Amino acid sequence: MELRDSLTSIKGIGPKKAECFSRLGIETLEDLIFTFPRIYEDRRNVRTISQLEPEEDAVFSGTVDIIRPGGLKGKGRRVVKMLISDDTGSIEVVFFNAAYLAKTVHIGDVLTFFGKPQMNNERLQVIHPQFEKTDNAQTGIIPIYPLTRGISQREMRRLQTKLKPLYAKADNILSNATIEKNKLCNLEFALENLHFPQDREKFLQSKYRMVFEEFLVLQAGLQMSKADQKNTGPGACCSIKGAEQEYIDAMPYPLTKAQRRVTDEIISDLEGRKMMNRLLQGDVGSGKTAVAEIAIYKAVKSGWQAVMMAPTEILASQHFAGFKESFSKFGMNVGFLTGSMKTGEKREVLEKLAAGDIDILVGTHAVIQPEVEFAKLGLVITDEQHRFGVNQRIRLKEKGENPNVLVMTATPIPRTLAVVLYGDMDVSVIDEMPPGRQPVKTICTSDDSGRKACYDFVERQIRQGHQIYVVTPLIDQSEAMDAKSAQEVYEELRKRFEKTALIHGAMKQSEKDEIMAKFNDGKIDILVATVLIEVGINVPNATVMVIENAERFGLAQMHQLRGRVGRGVHQSYCYLLIGNESELALKRGEIMTNSTDGFYIAEEDLKIRGPGEIFGTRQHGLPDMKLADMARHLNVLADARDEARRLLEEDSGMEKEENQPLKRRIIKLFGEDFSLNL
Ligand code: ADP
Ligand code: MG
């Protein structure tokens, strides 16, 4: 048995089973031993039947004396009752909806149960306990693994037990120095106690080690890439003082106080000799783009080129249109680049860019392709930063000698997490909305009459000359049974509202552009869309955002969507139509109705979902982690960061023999194109 052997090398696992495991990302024996339990069940409280107490989880064994397949009860649930006894007494065990039990359990069987007894008519009873034949039953602390269809908990545990001898061979990536300095347990011990914990103390020690290890890989990787960024000399300096004022004076509105403040911060970065490396945070609609424009103007005036990368084509083309209008009057040339452009068009843009004839480039991630070359890139801006990965951010920056960097995001990031993700960045926050904005009124409804009222309201708004977004979670019906598709909603609305259009991600770019242009020009009243309009779109005349099947959207997403309206002077509205009512959906609806503050909503989201999901690394373009949880394990994170610093101070290129396993893991985690050459 070797670590890299495939699962099928185990007796009893054929190609079919292997496919099930593959769904969990498990291909080899090594993958399996690094698949850790989700949670554990404490089955150490073994009791005789007479010792059982109400409301206390316990394990007990006994013989089946009576099985009574009861009649139908309530909503057609078939109740099966059993009487279980041991030397000390007997107790009733009840299963609902369990006709199958009559076939698998027989009188005289000896079973072990795990459950919580409850009082019922002054007698103890256990409802729906877990049970096993006593011969197979496990007590102690029982691991509960993540599963997928076709794999049972019992099977998983059996396999894990079988693989115990491999623990000693598992790849240890930590050097002895790291283990000693941080008082970590060894890998074999950690694996043993994560799968089969003997007690809480040993389990916690083991978990600490594995979380530490994951964070160390992450931190060392990030720090190496940052060191890489720092080594490149002075930044693109924009020394002409006050050059931006001309642009600010020409803007159609005065800056808000918050915009003024962050503009000053950015300008002083740009004028300084050190390159700017700044994160600009601000809620949807707070006016980040305006600030970005000022920075662009300043850079171009100082003789540099600027680039702005946006996460979607729609958003990129909107920025492009806006920039053309703002900058052409100053004689600045704006170029546009996306993946879906024709080769000829693309070539022309690339040539002009390399020759320095384009001052400002706007585009999607197409702008980081290798063939894109700038003559003199001095400012790099990433919009809706959280949509891009660390790698993409770095690659964009490498298009210039040592350009100034501004990343913008509407996703509130807690301070602690920002330190990890953007370690050496300065942070600016726009914490104020432009004047005249009335908060969007939000209405949440989960029944047919509410939905009808919503579209009646939509009709009145259209009559007043306003425009409407309707967002659905899906494109077409084949994707799921219980949610309305964009297509379906479109067909329905078109009957009632003549000027309705549909837009979704699977459409050709030219079609999308055409529809967006029409919506912009007010030729379309209702735009039915999938989430693709989530970020950035700006049509101030749109006053209603209808979210169909709102239960399928997370809070952060709904907040972003709602930010598409209320961008002009008109009172705007957001309707959350809940199709499939659940406690969670209603709770989210309530939060949305009560607040329009992105930071508050993010906090509530955190409470509902738990930190793991919301600050999940995936959203921020970082590699996924198995056990580590940024928000919950902050102390471990700090320890790992310090250790990574220590390691890199001693061995900046990770060349030492003892650091090779760690380096290999870093490369594996961050991917091949992650720049590690210092
Ligand atoms: P963000 O990118 O932060 O979501 P935008 O930059 O798209 O926000 O700005 C949203 C809207 O507010 C735009 O229509 C923009 O023209 C307008 N706007 C920006 N700054 C101001 C301001 N100081 N006063 C009035 N309107 C503003
Ligand atoms: Mg924006």
Side-chain angles (χ1 to χ4, degrees):
M1 208 161 58
E2 292 301 326
L3 286 166
R4 314 279 192 267
D5 287 352
S6 104
L7 283 189
T8 46
S9 67
I10 301 180
K11 221 188 263 156
I13 298 195
K16 251 211 174 124
K17 246 317 157 227
E19 220 177 279
C20 296
F21 278 101
S22 174
R23 278 205 296 274
L24 293 172
I26 302 171
E27 312 281 348
T28 65
L29 303 187
E30 183 181 30
D31 295 340
L32 201 53
I33 63 174
F34 282 93
T35 300
F36 299 115
R38 273 190 303 120
I39 45 167
Y40 302 83
E41 237 166 48
D42 190 346
R43 296 192 190 173
R44 287 177 299 180
N45 186 26
V46 180
R47 297 281 158 131
T48 65
I49 289 179
S50 67
Q51 287 170 334
L52 292 173
E53 297 282 346
E55 306 302 325
E56 179 188 276
D57 278 322
V59 183
F60 62 95
S61 304
T63 310
V64 181
D65 282 346
I66 302 174
I67 304 179
R68 216 172 358 174
L72 294 177
K73 194 181 173 185
K75 294 176 180 169
R77 297 188 299 176
R78 190 172 290 278
V79 182
V80 175
K81 293 183 177 176
M82 299 180 197
L83 192 70
I84 308 297
S85 67
D86 67 4
D87 295 344
T88 67
S90 60
I91 188 167
E92 188 175 59
V93 171
V94 182
F95 295 89
F96 294 106
N97 224 352
Y100 65 94
L101 281 181
K103 290 193 191 112
T104 48
V105 178
H106 306 99
I107 290 176
D109 284 354
V110 181
L111 303 177
T112 295
F113 296 87
F114 172 69
K116 189 184 282 183
Q118 287 165 351
M119 290 309 277
N120 180 26
N121 289 335
E122 297 183 14
R123 290 183 53 202
L124 270 188
Q125 190 183 51
V126 194
I127 295 173
H128 254 298
Q130 299 185 42
F131 71 92
E132 282 174 294
K133 292 239 158 74
T134 296
D135 291 344
N136 303 331
Q138 283 186 23
T139 54
I141 300 171
I142 308 291
I144 312 286
Y145 288 94
L147 295 180
T148 177
R149 198 170 345 139
I151 305 171
S152 71
Q153 211 48 262
R154 203 171 300 177
E155 202 169 6
M156 192 70 149
R157 278 181 216 141
R158 208 172 42 228
L159 274 170
Q160 293 287 5
T161 313
K162 216 180 221 171
L163 296 185
K164 276 187 185 181
L166 281 179
Y167 295 167
K169 298 186 191 171
D171 273 344
N172 169 37
I173 60 166
L174 302 184
S175 68
N176 286 336
T178 296
I179 289 179
E180 272 162 34
K181 282 215 166 62
N182 296 280
K183 302 194 179 63
L184 302 174
C185 65
N186 73 43
L187 181 59
E188 193 178 346
F189 178 94
L191 288 169
E192 167 89 34
N193 281 284
L194 278 169
H195 287 293
F196 308 99
Q198 289 158 25
D199 60 46
R200 192 170 165 74
E201 195 56 35
K202 287 180 177 150
F203 166 73
L204 289 177
Q205 248 179 314
S206 303
K207 179 136 180 178
Y208 183 90
R209 161 172 173 136
M210 297 313 287
V211 171
F212 183 95
E213 181 176 313
E214 281 189 306
F215 279 146
L216 182 66
V217 173
L218 177 71
Q219 283 296 318
L222 286 174
Q223 287 183 28
M224 285 170 93
S225 81
K226 276 174 195 153
D228 194 20
Q229 295 173 37
K230 275 186 191 144
N231 282 346
T232 28
C237 184
C238 308
S239 52
I240 307 173
K241 276 226 174 336
E244 70 284 352
Q245 197 53 46
E246 187 180 13
Y247 188 82
I248 297 175
D249 291 342
M251 288 174 93
Y253 41 72
L255 295 178
T256 62
K257 249 197 237 122
Q259 279 172 320
R260 185 72 248 178
R261 188 185 62 241
V262 304
T263 299
D264 288 346
E265 289 165 355
I266 289 170
I267 294 299
S268 100
D269 280 358
L270 290 175
E271 288 177 354
R273 274 188 56 74
K274 219 181 98 240
M275 102 180 170
M276 168 165 75
N277 201 6
R278 190 170 283 278
L279 174 69
L280 176 55
Q281 259 186 281
D283 217 335
V284 188
S286 60
K288 295 186 290 296
T289 313
V291 173
E293 285 175 18
I294 298 169
I296 291 173
Y297 183 84
K298 171 101 176 171
V300 174
K301 259 298 191 214
S302 313
W304 299 97
Q305 287 171 303
V307 60
M308 168 113 128
M309 175 164 75
T312 64
E313 299 223 9
I314 291 188
L315 186 51
S317 55
Q318 260 199 358
H319 281 319
F320 175 57
F323 285 9
K324 253 197 321 203
E325 199 177 308
S326 315
F327 292 113
S328 309
K329 53 179 177 272
F330 295 102
M332 297 177 180
N333 289 325
V334 187
F336 186 53
L337 191 68
T338 71
S340 64
M341 274 164 61
K342 291 204 195 76
T343 322
E345 290 174 328
K346 231 187 247 173
R347 194 178 321 117
E348 198 188 321
V349 173
L350 292 179
E351 276 166 14
K352 283 188 179 164
L353 200 61
D357 292 340
I358 288 177
D359 301 305
I360 302 156
L361 181 69
V362 181
T364 57
H365 52 267
V367 303
I368 55 174
Q369 296 315 304
E371 66 271 22
V372 181
E373 280 173 32
F374 293 82
K376 215 181 167 208
L377 181 60
L379 174 62
V380 164
I381 302 179
T382 316
D383 194 14
E384 306 297 347
Q385 158 60 27
H386 63 287
R387 292 298 198 91
F388 294 101
V390 175
N391 293 353
Q392 286 169 311
R393 207 165 81 205
I394 293 170
R395 267 161 67 193
L396 181 58
K397 204 174 132 298
E398 283 170 350
K399 295 285 177 196
E401 271 302 331
N402 194 13
N404 294 288
V405 174
L406 181 66
V407 301
M408 307 200 290
T409 181
T411 309
I413 305 166
R415 187 83 216 122
T416 37
L417 186 60
V419 169
V420 182
L421 292 170
Y422 306 103
D424 57 349
M425 279 198 173
D426 302 309
V427 179
S428 293
V429 182
I430 305 186
D431 50 5
E432 175 189 1
M433 285 292 179
R437 291 287 164 78
Q438 308 161 52
V440 177
K441 287 193 177 138
T442 302
I443 301 102
C444 179
T445 170
S446 58
D447 57 23
D448 286 346
S449 63
R451 187 160 188 273
K452 185 174 174 302
C454 162
Y455 283 108
D456 287 347
F457 182 77
V458 161
E459 187 168 345
R460 291 198 291 278
Q461 286 284 306
I462 291 176
R463 264 197 240 123
Q464 290 172 25
H466 293 307
Q467 290 165 281
I468 319 294
Y469 295 106
V470 177
V471 173
T472 75
L474 313 161
I475 302 178
D476 65 47
Q477 196 50 49
S478 61
E479 288 175 69
M481 301 308 289
D482 57 351
K484 285 192 186 300
S485 71
Q487 186 70 39
E488 209 185 359
V489 170
Y490 167 67
E491 300 292 348
E492 181 190 331
L493 292 179
R494 202 169 53 151
K495 287 183 203 140
R496 179 164 174 190
F497 305 101
E498 194 186 342
K499 291 190 252 169
T500 300
L502 173 66
I503 189 167
H504 57 72
M507 282 162 76
K508 272 210 223 92
Q509 188 54 38
S510 53
E511 285 177 89
K512 282 191 272 188
D513 288 346
E514 198 181 320
I515 291 173
M516 276 320 294
K518 279 191 183 158
F519 192 68
N520 243 325
D521 297 345
K523 290 181 187 139
I524 291 170
D525 291 335
I526 300 187
L527 187 64
V528 180
T530 50
V531 279
L532 112 164
I533 61 162
E534 182 190 335
V535 283
I537 285 187
N538 187 22
V539 178
N541 189 44
T543 53
V544 186
M545 166 62 69
V546 180
I547 304 181
E548 290 269 3
N549 287 106
E551 75 277 7
R552 295 197 154 226
F553 293 88
L555 275 173
Q557 217 173 10
M558 286 195 277
H559 178 64
Q560 289 272 342
L561 286 169
R562 184 169 58 183
R564 296 307 109 218
V565 295
R567 297 173 82 86
V569 292
H570 318 287
Q571 174 64 51
S572 296
Y573 305 84
C574 175
Y575 277 87
L576 307 174
L577 304 183
I578 295 179
N580 215 333
E581 201 173 308
S582 69
E583 208 177 308
L584 178 63
L586 293 177
K587 178 80 196 149
R588 284 194 189 129
E590 191 189 316
I591 293 167
M592 288 292 292
T593 324
N594 287 341
S595 175
T596 53
D597 175 348
F599 283 84
Y600 168 79
I601 288 173
E603 265 169 40
E604 291 301 306
D605 207 10
L606 175 66
K607 283 188 206 151
I608 294 183
R609 288 202 287 169
E613 243 187 282
I614 189 168
F615 303 138
T617 50
R618 185 160 279 160
Q619 275 192 38
H620 296 281
L622 285 177
D624 260 343
M625 284 181 270
K626 284 192 158 124
L627 287 172
D629 180 330
M630 299 261 189
R632 212 173 296 166
H633 302 133
L634 278 174
N635 56 337
V636 196
L637 181 58
D639 294 348
R641 182 195 53 207
D642 295 346
E643 177 65 13
R645 272 194 201 138
R646 192 191 64 79
L647 278 177
L648 288 167
E649 259 161 38
E650 277 178 14
D651 181 15
S652 65
M654 290 246 172
E655 302 302 338
K656 282 192 193 164
E657 191 53 40
E658 63 188 43
N659 289 330
Q660 291 318 298
L662 177 60
K663 186 171 178 177
R664 276 196 296 275
R665 185 69 65 85
I666 292 171
I667 293 172
K668 190 173 159 203
L669 192 72
F670 280 82
E672 283 302 329
D673 64 349
F674 182 67
S675 140
L676 283 176
N677 346 315
L678 295 168

